[in-house]
Amino acid sequence: MFKNLVTLVTGGASGLGRATVNRFVKKGSQVIICDLPTSKGEQVAKEIGENVQFIPADVMSERDIENLADEISKKYGKLDVLVNCAGVSDAHLTYNFNLDLPKMLKDFEDVLMTNVGGTINVIRLTAQLFANNQPDEGGLRGVIINTSGVEAFNGIMGQTSIAAASGAIHSMTKPLAEDFARTGIRVVTISPGFIRSPMNNYFPKHLEESLGLYCVTVPNRYGNGDEFAHLVQSIVQNPYINGTTIELSGGMRMSL
Ligand SMILES: NC(=O)c1ccc[n+]([C@@H]2O[C@H](COP(=O)([O-])OP(=O)(O)OC[C@H]3O[C@@H](n4cnc5c(N)ncnc54)[C@H](O)[C@@H]3O)[C@@H](O)[C@H]2O)c1
């Protein structure tokens, strides 16, 4: 099945996106990495092999994503799977009473614009590529997979930006699935808990171990990128998953 697929992964140069690129190339899919020009996208594409192409683009830029869609259209003539992993994070108290300092509005805006605005920008500007696909016997033309986070439902201190962004991505899932239903495009969101990636590798080892032990039901550890990629694969393979958010967290319970 994967041998005939063209897959676009935003944020594919790092973390969850990179793990997805790895797995999908191994399965035989053609994969396009969309990531910032300053990212390791070129290097990652070279390391992974010949079925990967890096197209530098900022997910928030209309022009970049129009160019990306044009390049995909010219080279592959279609798109079957879009995995939106591009994102940034922010951890600041809304008001730091020790420093007498309010949270920066720009930090909040950056997370909302990149994670939510970027996701919708890539979806809206690549949708036409899916419409060109021949529908399968069930009338399906492809699948869009977005990345939210458990903070959407269970945020803790310092996480207002990422909770707002994750909540928005979760909330968009149903309306997106409805918008694309007639065209036969499924839309599914993954809500990860702690997955080890460059985004969170600044946590000291002992904190990571405590979080795994006290906040993850079992197994008591961080998840890894390939466990995320494995769920992406399962969603692609199972045509009856649509319009929903799936948690991938080892049964996380946040109570710091
Ligand atoms: N890792 C986790 O534990 C975790 C948990 C919950 C949610 N998430 C979410 O998953 C997504 C991916 O996280 P990750 O851990 O892989 O992070 P990461 O930092 O390893 O990777 C994010 C990638 O997105 C790219 N990116 C950032 N801004 C971009 C832009 N404007 N245009 C194009 N690319 C851009 C970065 O260059 C980077 O390659 C993020 O949205 C994050 O909030 C991660």
Side-chain angles (χ1 to χ4, degrees):
M1 163 189 198
F2 285 86
K3 290 207 168 26
N4 299 318
L5 296 187
V6 177
T7 302
L8 169 63
V9 183
T10 75
S14 178
L16 311 186
R18 181 178 177 157
T20 304
V21 174
N22 268 328
R23 181 174 266 266
F24 273 57
V25 171
K26 278 191 194 134
K27 290 269 151 207
S29 173
Q30 298 281 337
V31 180
I32 302 111
I33 297 174
C34 157
D35 209 305
L36 291 170
T38 51
S39 73
K40 291 186 176 154
E42 194 66 60
Q43 186 189 324
V44 170
K46 272 199 196 113
E47 277 168 22
I48 294 179
E50 55 186 38
N51 288 332
V52 196
Q53 180 184 4
F54 172 53
I55 304 183
D58 182 334
V59 290
M60 290 185 287
S61 156
E62 189 155 28
R63 182 165 356 130
D64 282 5
I65 302 305
E66 278 171 354
N67 288 342
L68 170 82
D70 272 359
E71 283 201 47
I72 295 173
S73 174
K74 279 186 206 131
K75 179 158 181 190
Y76 306 94
K78 64 166 191 162
L79 182 63
D80 303 288
V81 181
L82 163 62
V83 187
N84 281 305
C85 291
V88 292
S89 192
D90 162 54
H92 284 103
L93 294 172
T94 308
Y95 194 90
N96 187 324
F97 288 95
N98 291 331
L99 300 175
D100 205 6
L101 200 65
K103 177 185 174 74
M104 307 277 284
L105 190 55
K106 178 151 189 345
D107 290 343
F108 188 79
E109 287 168 353
D110 282 350
V111 176
L112 265 285
M113 280 314 295
T114 308
N115 299 21
V116 186
T119 294
I120 201 75
N121 194 38
V122 177
I123 292 173
R124 76 190 180 93
L125 294 174
T126 56
Q128 185 58 40
L129 291 166
F130 288 91
N132 297 339
N133 295 346
Q134 277 301 317
D136 68 13
E137 63 281 3
L140 297 176
R141 287 189 167 86
V143 56
I144 296 169
I145 298 165
N146 297 326
T147 309
S148 168
V150 289
E151 306 83 10
F153 312 99
N154 213 354
I156 54 166
M157 61 159 71
Q159 288 192 321
T160 47
S161 308
I162 199 74
S166 293
I169 293 166
H170 160 66
S171 298
M172 292 194 307
T173 309
K174 283 265 185 230
L176 281 168
E178 292 285 338
D179 283 353
F180 290 126
R182 271 199 222 151
T183 319
I185 306 167
R186 295 183 291 128
V187 183
V188 181
T189 295
I190 299 177
S191 170
F194 297 126
I195 311 289
R196 189 177 290 106
S197 86
M199 187 175 270
N200 54 32
N201 70 3
Y202 62 89
F203 284 9
K205 186 95 185 126
H206 70 272
L207 179 60
E208 184 183 315
E209 281 170 7
S210 306
L211 288 170
L213 192 60
Y214 297 112
C215 300
V216 182
T217 306
V218 88
N220 300 118
R221 60 166 175 81
Y222 271 34
N224 61 59
D226 192 54
E227 286 165 331
F228 176 88
H230 189 279
L231 180 54
V232 174
Q233 178 191 331
S234 304
I235 292 167
V236 172
Q237 286 176 312
N238 191 327
Y240 210 58
I241 305 177
N242 191 18
T244 193
T245 297
I246 302 173
E247 184 174 310
L248 181 77
S249 73
M252 196 158 138
R253 50 189 198 285
M254 289 302 284
S255 51
L256 296 182

